[in-house]
Amino acid sequence: MTEEKKKKEITVQGVVVSDKMTKTVVIEVVTRHTHPKFKKIMTRTSRVKVHDEKNECQVGDTILAVETRPLSKQKHHVLKKVVEKAKFV
């Protein structure tokens, strides 16, 4: 009786900042944490390259990406779903 161990999916949610590459979008992930000494809330942003197979994302969309095997030198995430489309007037 062997049980398959399910790996926990590591997901990140962010806003698309650039979609100028083919099948790749760049998202900006915002994380907030409290400074251990000064107890001040700090905001950190990081940029992540995400593989978008169908080129369905546009700038301003909020997306959910899941970590995967390295697809290239800087791409380690794949698009899971588009949470919210951008609203342009």
Side-chain angles (χ1 to χ4, degrees), residues 25 47 59 63 85:
V25 293
R47 294 166 71 99
V59 175
I63 66 168
K85 292 297 268 180

Side-chain angles (χ1 to χ4, degrees), residues 24-36:
T24 304
V25 293
V26 180
I27 65 171
E28 201 164 76
V29 180
V30 178
T31 55
R32 298 178 63 171
H33 70 281
T34 308
H35 191 279

Side-chain angles (χ1 to χ4, degrees), residues 9-33:
E9 284 187 339
I10 299 172
T11 58
V12 291
Q13 184 172 347
V15 179
V16 177
V17 181
S18 171
D19 62 348
K20 296 185 180 196
M21 295 172 274
T22 308
K23 296 187 179 183
T24 304
V25 293
V26 180
I27 65 171
E28 201 164 76
V29 180
V30 178
T31 55
R32 298 178 63 171
H33 70 281

Side-chain angles (χ1 to χ4, degrees), residues 12-75:
V12 291
Q13 184 172 347
V15 179
V16 177
V17 181
S18 171
D19 62 348
K20 296 185 180 196
M21 295 172 274
T22 308
K23 296 187 179 183
T24 304
V25 293
V26 180
I27 65 171
E28 201 164 76
V29 180
V30 178
T31 55
R32 298 178 63 171
H33 70 281
T34 308
H35 191 279
K37 183 176 181 181
F38 302 115
K39 308 299 184 215
K40 190 168 188 172
I41 295 174
M42 296 173 35
T43 304
R44 254 188 211 161
T45 59
S46 60
R47 294 166 71 99
V48 177
K49 289 190 173 72
V50 178
H51 183 69
D52 180 15
E53 184 67 35
K54 300 175 187 172
N55 287 325
E56 58 189 271
C57 295
Q58 297 173 350
V59 175
D61 292 351
T62 303
I63 66 168
L64 194 68
V66 66
E67 193 173 21
T68 184
R69 64 180 179 83
L71 300 171
S72 68
K73 182 180 177 181
Q74 297 176 336
K75 272 202 299 192

